[in-house]
Short mmCIF file of all heavy atoms in Angstrom, two decimals:
data_model
loop_
_atom_site.label_atom_id
_atom_site.label_comp_id
_atom_site.label_asym_id
_atom_site.label_seq_id
_atom_site.Cartn_x
_atom_site.Cartn_y
_atom_site.Cartn_z
N PRO A 1 -6.65 -10.13 -5.68
CA PRO A 1 -6.24 -10.36 -7.04
C PRO A 1 -4.76 -10.39 -7.31
O PRO A 1 -4.31 -10.75 -8.33
CB PRO A 1 -6.96 -9.22 -7.87
CG PRO A 1 -6.98 -8.15 -6.89
CD PRO A 1 -7.25 -8.70 -5.50
N VAL A 2 -3.96 -9.92 -6.27
CA VAL A 2 -2.51 -9.78 -6.49
C VAL A 2 -1.73 -10.56 -5.48
O VAL A 2 -0.54 -10.36 -5.31
CB VAL A 2 -2.08 -8.31 -6.44
CG1 VAL A 2 -2.74 -7.56 -7.62
CG2 VAL A 2 -2.51 -7.62 -5.12
N LYS A 3 -2.37 -11.54 -4.80
CA LYS A 3 -1.70 -12.25 -3.69
C LYS A 3 -0.48 -13.00 -4.25
O LYS A 3 -0.48 -13.46 -5.41
CB LYS A 3 -2.69 -13.18 -2.98
CG LYS A 3 -3.21 -14.29 -3.86
CD LYS A 3 -4.07 -15.19 -2.97
CE LYS A 3 -4.66 -16.33 -3.82
NZ LYS A 3 -5.69 -15.82 -4.69
N VAL A 4 0.43 -13.25 -3.36
CA VAL A 4 1.62 -14.11 -3.61
C VAL A 4 1.59 -15.26 -2.58
O VAL A 4 0.75 -15.25 -1.69
CB VAL A 4 2.96 -13.33 -3.60
CG1 VAL A 4 3.02 -12.30 -4.69
CG2 VAL A 4 3.15 -12.74 -2.23
N GLU A 5 2.45 -16.22 -2.79
CA GLU A 5 2.41 -17.37 -1.89
C GLU A 5 2.63 -17.00 -0.43
O GLU A 5 1.92 -17.63 0.45
CB GLU A 5 3.51 -18.37 -2.30
CG GLU A 5 3.37 -19.77 -1.73
CD GLU A 5 4.04 -19.87 -0.34
OE1 GLU A 5 5.00 -19.07 -0.07
OE2 GLU A 5 3.61 -20.66 0.50
N ARG A 6 3.39 -16.07 -0.15
CA ARG A 6 3.65 -15.62 1.30
C ARG A 6 2.31 -15.24 1.93
O ARG A 6 2.16 -15.39 3.14
CB ARG A 6 4.63 -14.53 1.30
CG ARG A 6 5.08 -14.16 2.71
CD ARG A 6 6.06 -13.04 2.81
NE ARG A 6 6.67 -12.84 4.09
CZ ARG A 6 7.58 -11.96 4.45
NH1 ARG A 6 7.93 -11.10 3.49
NH2 ARG A 6 8.00 -11.76 5.61
N CYS A 7 1.41 -14.59 1.17
CA CYS A 7 0.19 -14.07 1.77
C CYS A 7 -0.71 -15.16 2.28
O CYS A 7 -1.48 -14.90 3.18
CB CYS A 7 -0.58 -13.31 0.59
SG CYS A 7 0.28 -11.93 -0.14
N THR A 8 -0.52 -16.39 1.76
CA THR A 8 -1.42 -17.51 2.23
C THR A 8 -0.92 -18.19 3.48
O THR A 8 -1.61 -19.00 4.12
CB THR A 8 -1.42 -18.57 1.10
OG1 THR A 8 -0.11 -19.14 0.94
CG2 THR A 8 -1.94 -17.96 -0.18
N ARG A 9 0.34 -17.78 3.99
CA ARG A 9 0.88 -18.48 5.13
C ARG A 9 1.35 -17.56 6.25
O ARG A 9 1.53 -17.92 7.34
CB ARG A 9 2.04 -19.44 4.79
CG ARG A 9 3.09 -18.79 3.94
CD ARG A 9 4.22 -19.76 3.50
NE ARG A 9 5.18 -19.17 2.60
CZ ARG A 9 6.17 -18.48 2.94
NH1 ARG A 9 6.43 -18.21 4.22
NH2 ARG A 9 7.00 -17.99 2.07
N GLU A 10 1.64 -16.27 5.91
CA GLU A 10 2.06 -15.29 6.91
C GLU A 10 1.17 -14.11 6.98
O GLU A 10 0.84 -13.50 5.92
CB GLU A 10 3.50 -14.82 6.63
CG GLU A 10 4.56 -15.94 6.78
CD GLU A 10 5.97 -15.34 6.55
OE1 GLU A 10 6.30 -14.29 7.11
OE2 GLU A 10 6.75 -15.96 5.79
N ARG A 11 0.82 -13.72 8.21
CA ARG A 11 -0.06 -12.56 8.28
C ARG A 11 0.79 -11.30 8.49
O ARG A 11 1.59 -11.18 9.37
CB ARG A 11 -0.97 -12.69 9.51
CG ARG A 11 -1.99 -11.63 9.70
CD ARG A 11 -2.95 -11.94 10.84
NE ARG A 11 -2.31 -11.84 12.15
CZ ARG A 11 -2.89 -12.14 13.28
NH1 ARG A 11 -4.18 -12.47 13.32
NH2 ARG A 11 -2.23 -12.07 14.42
N PRO A 12 0.60 -10.29 7.63
CA PRO A 12 1.42 -9.07 7.71
C PRO A 12 0.89 -8.13 8.83
O PRO A 12 -0.36 -8.06 9.09
CB PRO A 12 1.20 -8.44 6.28
CG PRO A 12 -0.14 -8.89 5.88
CD PRO A 12 -0.37 -10.27 6.45
N ASP A 13 1.85 -7.45 9.46
CA ASP A 13 1.45 -6.44 10.35
C ASP A 13 1.45 -5.04 9.68
O ASP A 13 1.98 -4.83 8.58
CB ASP A 13 2.40 -6.38 11.57
CG ASP A 13 2.27 -7.64 12.41
OD1 ASP A 13 1.19 -8.05 12.66
OD2 ASP A 13 3.38 -8.16 12.78
N LEU A 14 0.91 -4.04 10.33
CA LEU A 14 0.93 -2.70 9.72
C LEU A 14 2.41 -2.23 9.64
O LEU A 14 3.17 -2.41 10.58
CB LEU A 14 0.16 -1.68 10.61
CG LEU A 14 -1.40 -1.78 10.58
CD1 LEU A 14 -1.90 -0.82 11.65
CD2 LEU A 14 -1.90 -1.40 9.21
N ALA A 15 2.66 -1.59 8.50
CA ALA A 15 4.07 -1.06 8.27
C ALA A 15 3.92 0.15 7.35
O ALA A 15 2.94 0.29 6.57
CB ALA A 15 4.97 -2.14 7.63
N PRO A 16 4.81 1.06 7.46
CA PRO A 16 4.77 2.30 6.62
C PRO A 16 4.74 1.99 5.09
O PRO A 16 5.42 1.12 4.60
CB PRO A 16 6.05 3.06 7.01
CG PRO A 16 6.39 2.54 8.31
CD PRO A 16 6.09 1.12 8.28
N ALA A 17 3.84 2.69 4.42
CA ALA A 17 3.73 2.58 2.97
C ALA A 17 3.29 4.01 2.46
O ALA A 17 2.13 4.29 2.41
CB ALA A 17 2.77 1.52 2.54
N GLY A 18 4.28 4.90 2.17
CA GLY A 18 4.00 6.25 1.83
C GLY A 18 3.49 6.96 3.06
O GLY A 18 4.03 6.90 4.15
N ALA A 19 2.35 7.68 2.88
CA ALA A 19 1.77 8.42 4.06
C ALA A 19 0.92 7.60 4.99
O ALA A 19 0.55 8.06 6.06
CB ALA A 19 0.89 9.57 3.51
N SER A 20 0.68 6.33 4.60
CA SER A 20 -0.14 5.41 5.42
C SER A 20 0.62 4.25 6.06
O SER A 20 1.78 4.10 5.72
CB SER A 20 -1.28 4.84 4.51
OG SER A 20 -2.04 5.89 3.91
N ASP A 21 -0.02 3.61 6.99
CA ASP A 21 0.46 2.31 7.42
C ASP A 21 -0.45 1.22 6.84
O ASP A 21 -1.69 1.38 6.93
CB ASP A 21 0.40 2.25 8.97
CG ASP A 21 1.43 3.13 9.67
OD1 ASP A 21 2.50 3.45 8.98
OD2 ASP A 21 1.22 3.54 10.77
N VAL A 22 0.19 0.21 6.31
CA VAL A 22 -0.59 -0.83 5.58
C VAL A 22 -0.15 -2.23 6.02
O VAL A 22 1.07 -2.49 6.18
CB VAL A 22 -0.34 -0.63 4.07
CG1 VAL A 22 -1.18 -1.66 3.24
CG2 VAL A 22 -0.70 0.78 3.60
N ALA A 23 -1.14 -3.13 6.11
CA ALA A 23 -0.85 -4.54 6.42
C ALA A 23 -0.92 -5.33 5.18
O ALA A 23 -1.91 -6.01 4.90
CB ALA A 23 -1.78 -5.03 7.48
N CYS A 24 0.18 -5.28 4.35
CA CYS A 24 0.17 -6.00 3.07
C CYS A 24 1.64 -6.26 2.68
O CYS A 24 2.43 -5.33 2.71
CB CYS A 24 -0.56 -5.15 2.02
SG CYS A 24 -0.47 -6.00 0.35
N TRP A 25 1.94 -7.52 2.32
CA TRP A 25 3.33 -7.80 1.93
C TRP A 25 3.75 -7.11 0.71
O TRP A 25 4.92 -6.85 0.48
CB TRP A 25 3.44 -9.35 1.73
CG TRP A 25 3.29 -10.15 2.97
CD1 TRP A 25 2.36 -11.12 3.22
CD2 TRP A 25 4.13 -10.08 4.18
NE1 TRP A 25 2.53 -11.66 4.50
CE2 TRP A 25 3.53 -10.95 5.15
CE3 TRP A 25 5.16 -9.25 4.56
CZ2 TRP A 25 4.12 -11.16 6.42
CZ3 TRP A 25 5.64 -9.38 5.83
CH2 TRP A 25 5.16 -10.33 6.75
N LEU A 26 2.78 -6.74 -0.17
CA LEU A 26 3.11 -6.12 -1.45
C LEU A 26 3.14 -4.61 -1.40
O LEU A 26 3.72 -3.91 -2.25
CB LEU A 26 2.17 -6.53 -2.59
CG LEU A 26 2.03 -8.06 -2.68
CD1 LEU A 26 1.09 -8.38 -3.93
CD2 LEU A 26 3.37 -8.69 -2.96
N SER A 27 2.57 -4.00 -0.33
CA SER A 27 2.44 -2.60 -0.30
C SER A 27 3.39 -1.89 0.68
O SER A 27 3.80 -0.78 0.46
CB SER A 27 1.05 -2.16 0.20
OG SER A 27 0.05 -2.64 -0.71
N SER A 28 3.81 -2.72 1.71
CA SER A 28 4.73 -2.15 2.67
C SER A 28 6.09 -1.78 2.19
O SER A 28 6.57 -2.47 1.34
CB SER A 28 4.83 -3.07 3.90
OG SER A 28 5.90 -2.82 4.70
N THR A 29 6.74 -0.70 2.64
CA THR A 29 8.02 -0.39 2.27
C THR A 29 9.06 -1.36 2.80
O THR A 29 10.19 -1.34 2.48
CB THR A 29 8.42 1.07 2.75
OG1 THR A 29 8.17 1.10 4.17
CG2 THR A 29 7.56 2.13 2.03
N THR A 30 8.61 -2.21 3.76
CA THR A 30 9.49 -3.20 4.29
C THR A 30 9.63 -4.43 3.31
O THR A 30 10.44 -5.30 3.54
CB THR A 30 9.08 -3.67 5.71
OG1 THR A 30 7.80 -4.23 5.57
CG2 THR A 30 9.07 -2.51 6.59
N ALA A 31 8.67 -4.52 2.41
CA ALA A 31 8.66 -5.70 1.45
C ALA A 31 9.64 -5.43 0.32
O ALA A 31 9.65 -4.41 -0.35
CB ALA A 31 7.27 -5.87 0.85
N THR A 32 10.67 -6.31 0.17
CA THR A 32 11.63 -6.16 -0.85
C THR A 32 11.19 -6.73 -2.22
O THR A 32 10.30 -7.44 -2.23
CB THR A 32 12.95 -6.84 -0.43
OG1 THR A 32 12.70 -8.29 -0.42
CG2 THR A 32 13.40 -6.43 0.95
N GLU A 33 11.86 -6.28 -3.24
CA GLU A 33 11.52 -6.87 -4.58
C GLU A 33 11.62 -8.35 -4.64
O GLU A 33 10.89 -9.06 -5.27
CB GLU A 33 12.32 -6.17 -5.62
CG GLU A 33 12.07 -4.75 -5.83
CD GLU A 33 12.92 -4.14 -6.99
OE1 GLU A 33 13.58 -4.98 -7.65
OE2 GLU A 33 12.84 -2.96 -7.24
N ASP A 34 12.64 -8.82 -3.87
CA ASP A 34 12.82 -10.31 -3.89
C ASP A 34 11.63 -11.02 -3.19
O ASP A 34 11.25 -12.07 -3.64
CB ASP A 34 14.17 -10.63 -3.16
CG ASP A 34 14.48 -12.10 -3.13
OD1 ASP A 34 14.72 -12.59 -4.26
OD2 ASP A 34 14.40 -12.80 -2.11
#
């Protein structure tokens, strides 16, 4: 329900998001606001 255009063309890898590792462009701490 919250996908962005990047989600349809690039597959995210696991990356830190708080106490967990998450494979999501919107959840990962590596995802910038831009």
